[in-house]
Amino acid sequence: DDNEINREFLFGVLANQEYQIAQARDGREAVDLCRSGTFDAILMDIRMPDMDGIEATAAIRAMDRHHSTVIIALTADLQVQRQNQLLERGFDATMAKPVSREDPIATLDRLRAQPDPVEKPSADQPMDMQRALAAAGGNQALVDKLTGMLLRELARFAEPLELARKNEDMETAREMAHKLRASAGY
């Protein structure tokens, strides 16, 4: 994080949890730290001068030793679409700034509780049920209900989405895809 107050706050919160901590003032410094060491988790500010958090995360993910390192995006952007974009860009979770004292601890605990490694969905298994169950706090009934709702929504959107594509109505297709993506995220 390029903000010294943010770094000190996070350091103070996490130091009380017996974490060993290294601090970086920008993306380049974070990448350099990762070249010289290994980390279980990285809290990465998104907006930083010189090299932003997205570029730094891509560089860190390119290092063999950091493929499975948990990287959490710190962002003031609370839009679900933006948070989903960050997850697609290699982050494991997002935290909204300003961060509360509980946020980093709860997020790190939640990510550590997930099965390791988290398998990516495939054509044979399009949804990671273990991850969905963890996100729903172990509530299988909620996972089943939301999955059923998503399947009905997909069925309802399939024909209009295909029609929009055929008619090259990209604005309508983009709007429908946005709604489906947001639903699928849950």
Side-chain angles (χ1 to χ4, degrees), residues 27-39 42 51 55-56 58-60 62-66:
R28 289 205 191 286
E29 192 173 319
V31 171
D32 289 343
L33 282 170
C34 289
R35 280 192 186 108
S36 62
T38 58
F39 297 91
I42 298 169
M51 177 184 270
E55 293 171 301
I60 291 167
M63 297 177 203
D64 287 338
R65 68 169 62 148
H66 291 292

Side-chain angles (χ1 to χ4, degrees), residues 148-162 176 179-180 183:
M149 291 171 69
L150 176 62
L151 291 173
R152 286 188 295 279
E153 191 170 302
L154 286 168
R156 193 175 76 242
F157 275 71
E159 191 174 317
L161 187 58
E162 179 61 19
M176 285 189 276
K179 288 179 183 178
L180 287 170
S183 296

Side-chain angles (χ1 to χ4, degrees), residues 108-175:
L108 289 168
D109 287 347
R110 178 178 55 84
L111 290 170
R112 272 190 282 180
Q114 287 183 350
D116 191 30
V118 175
E119 291 184 26
K120 299 293 182 193
S122 67
D124 296 336
Q125 181 67 30
M127 186 171 149
D128 184 338
M129 294 304 287
Q130 289 180 326
R131 192 171 194 178
L133 191 58
N139 185 339
Q140 184 66 54
L142 179 60
V143 170
D144 293 343
K145 181 178 182 178
L146 292 175
T147 302
M149 291 171 69
L150 176 62
L151 291 173
R152 286 188 295 279
E153 191 170 302
L154 286 168
R156 193 175 76 242
F157 275 71
E159 191 174 317
L161 187 58
E162 179 61 19
L163 183 62
R165 187 192 65 78
K166 282 182 181 176
N167 293 332
E168 297 183 12
D169 181 359
M170 291 302 120
E171 185 60 35
T172 300
R174 191 174 306 120
E175 185 178 314

